[in-house]
Every structure is written in structure tokens, then in C-alpha cells.
Amino acid sequence: MTTTSQTVRRRGAALVAASASLLLPLAAVSPAVAAPTAPPATHSPSPSASKSPSGSPSDNKGKPPKQPPAKMSEVGGELLGRPGVQVQPEAGAPALPKGLSGDAWLVADAESGEVLAAKNAHWRLAPASTLKMLFADTVLPKFPRTAQHKVAPSDLEGMGEGSSQVGLKEDSTYSVQDLWLGVFLRSGNDAVHVLSAMNGGVGQTVRDMQAHAEELQANDTHVVTPDGYDADGQVSSAYDLTLFARSGLQKKDFRDYCATATAQFPGEEKKGKKRESFGIQNTNRLLTGQGMPVYKGIAGVKNGSTTNAGNTFTGVAQHGSRKLLVTVMNPETKETGEVYKESAALLDWGFEAVGHVKPVGVLVPPLGASGGKDAGKSGGKAGDKAQASVADSGTGSGGGGLWTAVGITGGALAVLAGAAYVVHRRWPLRRPPQP
């Protein structure tokens, strides 16, 4: 049996050996796209929480309020606790994009943590599958890529009706790498549930995720399900989702998976028959170019869609030496791909605005980092006399040294970044609040 990990290694080794001298900056290369053989994933909410797209009965529990609170959390800065758009333009600053309809959004420097602009940054809203970033950041370091797991019927119990799935089969064996490709590319709730079972069960995984969110100072987040499926009380915020992405991007495996555009996935194991595989494609349209142009320099991270959440997206991209994070939650404009269009517009604005706006806040460090708790309260400007925090080798699930950002695409390995590229988290020193 040929596993996905073996296929990836063979393809990657062949291409990198042939073109090691042709590595290009992230901003210059976009992943090629192969037509998927699996149908597009959908992620429908629980019928007990909301009305599904198919029109099943609903009591509409878990729906977000229509207006943000007058005062929200001030983690990261006082301005981030205010409702509405927060931006502090200076000379030469571009105007914010027109037509932004997201209930909440945020654009930040991925390295310094400076928040360039935001709207309702701490509004607690349903997160949909963007919550899988927290799931991955929490669980991914626990199991090596090469570990094998045979799916038991109990592993798949408890999935919500209409859940997006990658297509795992009971009594078939998959590598951990296969499972994570299912999570990141197809937003597979079946893969989430199997990994949760490996982690001691859904309940244990939810507790682990909540504890990790608290360590990251993601205080707007309340975890009920590990996959982001709509549930009463399950909320996060544009600010917290951006924290999850920034933390996850410190891990090499996280970076690899979220930057993968397409891959081959193992089919069902059948006695006496050769195991087949099928193609899967990432549901992140800015990465694959499905229905819209690939965004220049994109390298992940995660999208989601449920009835309660609407469409959500967190992305990371690099232009030149600048790396930005963007999160958009629930655009009111219901055009196809609107969450990606608004995210791309905010990224474009952010790359142009750097150096021409005063930050409205900062992405805080984890509580265990130097100055973590104080930085969360101060809202001080990030980046001054910054402290680099990434110091490991960049290998394995916990590695943070290299952001290789590879996309596995149609039989080729598209190298999106050079061999020494990383988002360094530069924690802010304790400073007084900014006006």
C-alpha cells in the first residue's frame, strides 16, 4: 500500500532535487491546481442549532446577536474593544476598501503582531470551521506524521448531520498525515473526530482546546465542538481566530498542511484488492484559485461556513518581506466567494498601508511568553525592541524554524518560500495604552 506521506516524499524529493536552485520568494509563486475528483465539501450546521441549507427544522439556538456589544474585551488594546471600524491613518495612508460587509474583520502584521485596522475585533460570533485552526494547533503536536490509525466505528460517532467529510472508511488504516490533510484540505469533520478519538475523545479534546485558547489569551472563545459545527454557546472572534492562525504557523506541519492545494487521499481498504486513491482539493479559494484568482503570496490558512456563522476565513500572505494575517467573519453581501474577496481587498490594503497607519492594537503573546499577561492588558505597540520567540529547528510537528509553505499540487511540489522563511513572533514589551 502506498500512503499519501510516501507519495508526497517521492514527489517532493524529485522536484526539489531537480530545481533546488529555482526557489522563489513566496510573493512570486502560486500553487498549480489540479481538478479534484472529490465533490466540494460542505459544512452544514446542526439542525438542533439552526436551520440547515436543506431546510430542516430549527429552533435557531446559537444565532449571534444582530449588533455588537457597546463594549467588548480590550485584550490587545482599548480601541479593539470598541464596536465599529477602528483605523488610525497617517500621511499617505490608503482608504479602506469600499463595500466591506463582514460583521467583523481584522488585518495584522504576522510578525510584529501590530493590528493595522479592525472592525468589531472582539465580537463573539460563531466561528464555523475556522475553529479547526485551534483544533490543529492543540492536537497536531501530539502525533507524528507517520503514525498509523485504523478507524473504528466509534471514532466517527457524534458527527453533526450534513458535516463536511474527506471520506474516511471504518476498518481502514490512515496515517496521521492523511488525517491532517483531510482536516485542512476538505475541512473533514470525520478526520477531526478520528484525531479526537486518538486524543482521548471529543470531550477531552474540547477541554484541551479550551485550555489552549486560554493560554493564547483568546478569551472570546468558548469551545463546544472540536470541528466548529454550530452549537449553542460556541463562539470565537476575529481577534481570537487570528491568534490561532499566528500560533499554528509556528509549527512546520501546520504550515505545510495549510499551504497544500491538492493531494491524493487513500481510498477504502478492501480485502484482496489494491487500495485506490482519489484527489482532494483545498477549499481555500485564494489558495486554489477556484472561481477567483489565486492571491499573490497566499500560504493558508482556513475557511469555514455554517448557517450560524455564515462564511468565515483567516488567511496569511507575504509580499516582499512583509507578512500579513487577515480574518473576515460573516459578510452580509451574499455573493459567491465574498469572504475571499473582502479578505483579498483587506490584504491589498494592508500591504499598501504598512508604515502609513498607526496600529490600533496588537496580537498578544501567550500567557507563558515573556510579558504575556502584561502585554494583553496594555495594548502597547508591538515591535519596538522586539523579542524573537521562535528558536527551534523547524522539524517535526512542533517545529517553527522554517516556513516552507509547500503546496502539493497535481503531482508536483510547488515551493512557495525559500529555505529560511519563518514568521517570528515578536512579543511587545510592556507599554502604556495607545490613545
Side-chain angles (χ1 to χ4, degrees):
M1 179 181 71
T2 299
T3 65
T4 301
S5 58
Q6 291 171 331
T7 302
V8 171
R9 285 196 296 270
R10 286 205 302 269
R11 291 173 178 169
L15 184 61
V16 172
S19 59
S21 63
L22 300 179
L23 297 180
L24 298 176
L26 178 61
V29 183
S30 297
V33 179
T37 58
T42 58
H43 184 167
S44 301
S46 166
S48 67
S50 62
K51 186 175 180 179
S52 73
S54 61
S56 57
S58 167
D59 60 11
N60 290 319
K61 289 182 180 179
K63 287 257 183 174
K66 294 184 182 296
Q67 298 293 331
K71 188 173 179 61
M72 293 170 280
S73 168
E74 295 185 1
V75 170
E78 183 269 334
L79 291 179
L80 297 180
R82 298 180 186 178
V85 174
Q86 306 300 323
V87 62
Q88 298 188 107
E90 297 182 324
L96 282 167
K98 295 181 178 179
L100 295 175
S101 68
D103 281 346
W105 52 260
L106 182 148
V107 58
D109 187 296
E111 290 199 334
S112 72
E114 291 179 343
V115 178
L116 305 181
K119 175 186 176 183
N120 300 328
H122 284 291
W123 191 6
R124 297 179 177 182
L125 300 168
S129 286
T130 45
L131 192 66
K132 288 182 171 79
M133 294 186 296
L134 174 61
F135 170 74
D137 194 37
T138 303
V139 177
L140 193 152
K142 298 186 178 185
F143 308 107
R145 284 181 182 235
T146 55
Q148 302 285 314
H149 179 80
K150 186 175 182 178
V151 176
S154 59
D155 293 347
L156 300 175
E157 292 177 355
M159 281 194 300
E161 182 180 346
S163 285
S164 55
Q165 299 183 42
V166 68
L168 299 180
K169 300 298 183 182
E170 296 176 5
D171 299 321
S172 291
T173 299
Y174 302 87
S175 71
V176 165
Q177 174 167 288
D178 295 331
L179 297 173
W180 284 116
L181 287 170
V183 171
F184 278 93
L185 272 67
R186 299 304 299 166
S187 204
N189 289 4
D190 50 353
V192 170
H193 276 253
V194 170
L195 286 161
S196 295
M198 294 171 64
N199 187 54
V202 168
Q204 182 61 53
T205 301
V206 166
R207 289 189 291 273
D208 290 348
M209 290 170 65
Q210 189 66 55
H212 188 47
E214 292 168 6
E215 168 64 19
L216 294 175
Q217 301 199 67
N219 299 332
D220 302 322
T221 298
H222 179 64
V223 183
V224 179
T225 68
D227 50 26
Y229 197 97
D230 281 342
D232 287 352
Q234 180 149 278
V235 291
S236 191
S237 66
Y239 185 89
D240 285 9
L241 293 175
T242 310
L243 287 181
F244 301 152
R246 191 174 185 228
S247 179
L249 288 167
Q250 309 308 306
K251 300 173 176 63
K252 181 184 181 298
D253 281 359
F254 187 106
R255 298 192 300 268
D256 288 352
Y257 294 134
C258 77
T260 300
T262 67
Q264 287 297 116
F265 196 83
E268 184 176 8
E269 288 182 309
K270 297 180 180 180
K271 188 175 182 179
K273 292 186 178 181
K274 180 181 178 181
R275 191 173 192 181
E276 304 291 337
S277 66
F278 57 91
I280 58 174
Q281 178 172 292
N282 202 309
T283 53
N284 176 356
R285 295 188 181 190
L286 293 185
L287 182 69
T288 65
Q290 184 181 3
M292 61 187 60
V294 171
Y295 188 80
K296 179 183 177 182
I298 192 74
V301 185
K302 190 72 187 74
N303 59 299
S305 179
T306 66
T307 296
N308 287 351
N311 292 296
T312 59
F313 178 71
T314 296
V316 64
Q318 179 186 9
H319 290 180
S321 61
R322 185 71 60 178
K323 300 127 191 173
L324 296 184
L325 285 160
V326 66
T327 294
V328 175
M329 302 185 75
N330 191 29
E332 293 299 318
T333 301
K334 300 306 179 186
E335 294 182 11
T336 301
E338 182 65 21
V339 73
Y340 302 105
K341 295 173 186 176
E342 296 190 17
S343 296
L346 282 167
L347 285 170
D348 285 344
W349 174 84
F351 285 118
E352 186 179 352
V354 169
H356 301 288
V357 294
K358 183 179 181 180
V360 296
V362 65
L363 301 176
V364 295
L367 290 174
S370 177
K373 190 172 182 179
D374 289 336
K377 291 181 177 180
S378 74
K381 181 177 178 181
D384 288 352
K385 299 180 182 177
Q387 304 169 24
S389 66
V390 180
D392 57 39
S393 65
T395 59
S397 296
L402 302 179
W403 187 351
T404 55
V406 296
I408 304 155
T409 63
L413 190 71
V415 180
L416 303 183
Y421 178 66
V422 62
V423 166
H424 295 279
R425 291 183 295 190
R426 301 200 294 262
W427 303 139
L429 300 179
R430 184 174 182 177
R431 297 174 65 87
Q434 299 296 307

